[in-house]
């Protein structure tokens, strides 16, 4: 009975042991696509949302009061500096100018008479014919005449100035808004808004930058021999607008505020753009891309080649024998359709770019080598 049971058990054990190696040899390999990363000169960039604003903007008001007599522009037209735009009724001011002119003539005549009297009295006093007190009276009259002349000249100058103010000229070149008041209405001096003018070429773009990237821009600006507040470090930027048919507009940073906002932790930065065709308008939103570094050799890999291991980003490096290891990496922005690798790669590794879901511990891969093009897509996004 004992021998009858031992023989099948030994045969079963022998069969199981002998089948192990054959099963391991028949285990299939994981088919994956591998490639070398793209190594090329790159410049980091960041994207922000902002708004265009005019370099110069003015609300026109009259310096003198009166009834509006003329409007000499078409609503929404382009005007040049010095163009006459509005005319206040000039008749009261012309009358005031004539009165001031006449008063000046009277003052001149009175002064001429006072000078003659003073000279005549002075000569008689020297001869002893008149007293010195009489000479003092003539001197006082002469000085009063001189003062009256200066006052008349000032009144005439003011009357001429008021007359000039009745015609309101464009203080800058740009696009004018509609007229805000019609002919015949009363214009209050320094109060009634007549219209507005905004300059269009060049035009400014304002956006807010967080502290981390602000410090990076400041460092790049110092490397250019400038500073962010004064000249913006000459960092190049491009902005796109809602019209997808328009190519990105090129400009440069030229100013940053002198402190970080304590509530938002951001600083407002300005870029300036040439706008010869007046495509860009004050108030438009735009998406600005800022060059955030100097040129350097970047290691670029497809997003599909980057996996996750708990809280780390990793890539899978394949060895010649088909084994693979994971390498933790720190990623950057997306450039030329690839993801920039900040740390963790030297650039000569062979990494898995397709088939990451087939990788398991102990699996041997069957790599298919491909060559990544220098540029996969013409898009740029912010990384993490």
């Amino acid at each position: 009975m004992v021998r009858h049971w031992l023989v099948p058990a030994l045969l079963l054990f022998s069969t199981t042991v002998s089948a192990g190696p054959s099963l391991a040899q028949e285990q299939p390999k994981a088919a994956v696509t591998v490639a070398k990363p793209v190594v090329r000169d790159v410049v980091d960039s960041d994207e922000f949302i902002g708004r265009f604003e005019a370099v110069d903007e003015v609300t026109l008001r009259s310096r003198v009061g009166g009834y509006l007599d003329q409007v000499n522009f078409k609503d929404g037209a382009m005007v040049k500096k010095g163009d006459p735009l509005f005319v206040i009724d000039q008749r009261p001011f012309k009358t005031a100018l004539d009165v001031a002119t006449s008063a000046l003539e009277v003052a001149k005549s009175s002064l001429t008479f006072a000078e003659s009297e003073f000279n005549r009295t002075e000569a008689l006093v020297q001869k002893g014919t008149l007293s010195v007190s009489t000479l003092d009276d003539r001197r006082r009259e002469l000085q009063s005449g001189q003062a009256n002349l200066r006052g008349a000249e000032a009144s005439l100058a003011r009357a001429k100035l008021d007359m000039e103010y009745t015609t309101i000229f464009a203080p800058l070149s740009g696009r004018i808004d509609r007229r805000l008041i019609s002919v015949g209405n009363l214009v209050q001096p320094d109060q009634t808004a007549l219209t507005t003018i905004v300059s269009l070429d060049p035009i400014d773009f304002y956006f807010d930058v967080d502290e981390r990237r602000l410090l990076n821009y400041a460092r790049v600006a110092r490397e250019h021999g400038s500073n962010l507040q004064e000249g913006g470090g000459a960092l190049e930027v491009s902005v796109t607008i809602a019209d997808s048919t328009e190519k990105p507009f090129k400009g440069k940073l030229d100013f940053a505020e002198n402190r970080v906002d304590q509530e938002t932790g951001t600083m407002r930065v300005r870029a300036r753009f040439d706008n010869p065709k007046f495509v860009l308008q004050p108030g438009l939103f735009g998406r600005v891309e800022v060059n955030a570094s100097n040129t350097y050799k970047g290691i670029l890999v497809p997003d599909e080649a980057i996996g996750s291991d708990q809280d780390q980003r990793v890539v899978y490096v394949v060895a010649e024998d088909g084994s693979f290891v994971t390498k933790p990496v720190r990623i950057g922005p997306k450039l030329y359709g690839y993801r920039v690798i900040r740390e963790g790669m030297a650039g000569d590794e062979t990494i898995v770019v397709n088939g990451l879901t087939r990788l398991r511990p102990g699996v041997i891969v069957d790599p298919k080598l491909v060559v990544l093009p220098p540029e996969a897509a013409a898009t740029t996004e912010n990384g993490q």
Side-chain angles (χ1 to χ4, degrees):
M1 292 295 293
V2 174
R3 292 179 180 178
H4 178 73
W5 288 100
L6 285 174
V7 173
L10 291 173
L11 289 174
L12 180 61
F13 178 77
S14 175
T15 302
T16 303
V17 172
S18 62
S22 63
L23 291 174
Q25 293 173 359
E26 295 175 358
Q27 184 177 2
K29 296 182 179 180
V32 296
T33 303
V34 299
K36 298 285 187 181
V38 175
V39 180
R40 59 174 294 175
D41 291 337
V42 298
V43 177
D44 290 343
S45 63
D46 297 317
E47 282 191 353
F48 303 93
I49 300 296
R51 187 190 292 271
F52 286 99
E53 293 186 15
V55 175
D56 296 307
E57 179 177 354
V58 63
T59 299
L60 292 185
R61 290 180 171 86
S62 176
R63 296 189 180 186
V64 295
Y67 288 92
L68 185 62
D69 187 43
Q70 298 177 29
V71 177
N72 299 322
F73 66 90
K74 183 179 179 181
D75 291 351
M78 293 295 297
V79 297
K80 295 181 180 180
K81 183 177 180 180
D83 287 350
L85 304 177
F86 297 94
V87 178
I88 305 296
D89 186 3
Q90 296 180 337
R91 290 173 296 177
F93 299 95
K94 186 176 185 305
T95 300
L97 181 60
D98 292 340
V99 171
T101 303
S102 299
L104 178 62
E105 295 299 326
V106 172
K108 288 181 177 179
S109 176
S110 298
L111 178 60
T112 301
F113 178 75
E115 289 177 344
S116 300
E117 286 294 308
F118 175 78
N119 294 332
R120 186 180 303 108
T121 303
E122 186 179 30
L124 294 175
V125 169
Q126 290 177 356
K127 294 179 180 180
T129 305
L130 293 176
S131 63
V132 176
S133 61
T134 304
L135 179 62
D136 292 337
D137 291 338
R138 299 296 178 268
R139 181 180 289 107
R140 176 180 55 79
E141 292 172 358
L142 175 61
Q143 292 174 347
S144 178
Q146 292 172 339
N148 289 335
L149 177 62
R150 290 193 296 269
E153 290 174 342
S155 296
L156 179 61
R158 178 57 186 268
K160 289 181 177 178
L161 194 60
D162 288 343
M163 186 65 181
E164 292 177 4
Y165 286 158
T166 58
T167 302
I168 301 167
F169 299 92
L172 56 90
S173 298
R175 189 173 299 281
I176 197 167
D177 197 4
R178 64 182 179 88
R179 55 182 179 178
L180 302 178
I181 184 171
S182 300
V183 172
N185 283 285
L186 179 63
V187 176
Q188 298 291 342
D190 301 323
Q191 295 183 14
T192 306
L194 302 176
T195 190
T196 59
I197 303 175
V198 294
S199 64
L200 294 179
D201 184 26
I203 193 168
D204 288 336
F205 185 83
Y206 287 88
F207 57 98
D208 296 329
V209 178
D210 59 85
E211 292 184 25
R212 179 179 62 83
R213 284 181 281 193
L214 175 67
L215 294 173
N216 182 41
Y217 298 159
R219 176 181 55 80
V220 176
R222 289 193 297 270
E223 292 175 357
H224 288 176
S226 181
N227 62 75
L228 200 59
Q229 280 73 24
E230 189 178 354
L235 299 183
E236 295 183 354
V237 301
S238 64
V239 68
T240 55
I241 57 177
D243 187 356
S244 59
T245 62
E246 291 288 347
K247 295 181 179 179
F249 297 86
K250 303 296 183 180
K252 291 185 178 182
L253 294 185
D254 74 331
F255 168 77
E257 292 183 345
N258 58 4
R259 61 179 178 179
V260 176
D261 190 302
Q262 296 181 0
E263 295 183 359
T264 63
T266 61
M267 178 181 288
R268 182 149 295 182
V269 180
R270 184 181 73 193
R272 182 158 292 182
F273 295 84
D274 292 330
N275 189 30
K277 297 182 179 180
F278 310 139
V279 176
L280 304 175
Q281 299 289 322
L284 282 180
F285 279 102
R287 184 183 298 273
V288 66
E289 181 179 310
V290 185
N291 290 340
S293 71
N294 294 318
T295 304
Y296 68 95
K297 290 290 183 182
I299 300 173
L300 312 178
V301 302
D303 274 334
E304 296 78 8
I306 301 174
S308 298
D309 184 5
Q310 295 182 356
D311 61 343
Q312 291 182 326
R313 298 295 181 91
V314 297
V315 295
Y316 298 87
V317 180
V318 178
E320 293 182 358
D321 60 358
S323 62
F324 69 90
V325 296
T326 60
K327 265 193 171 185
V329 294
R330 184 170 69 89
I331 65 174
K334 194 171 183 181
L335 300 174
Y336 308 107
Y338 297 111
R339 184 66 62 182
V340 176
I341 301 299
R342 296 291 196 197
E343 296 177 359
M345 293 184 63
D348 57 354
E349 300 90 341
T350 301
I351 62 172
V352 178
V353 296
N354 193 5
L356 270 64
T357 57
R358 304 187 185 98
L359 301 180
R360 298 289 186 274
V363 169
I364 301 300
V365 302
D366 181 16
K368 178 183 178 182
L369 183 65
V370 296
V371 178
L372 298 177
E375 184 172 343
T379 58
T380 303
E381 301 175 358
N382 284 336
Q384 298 178 351

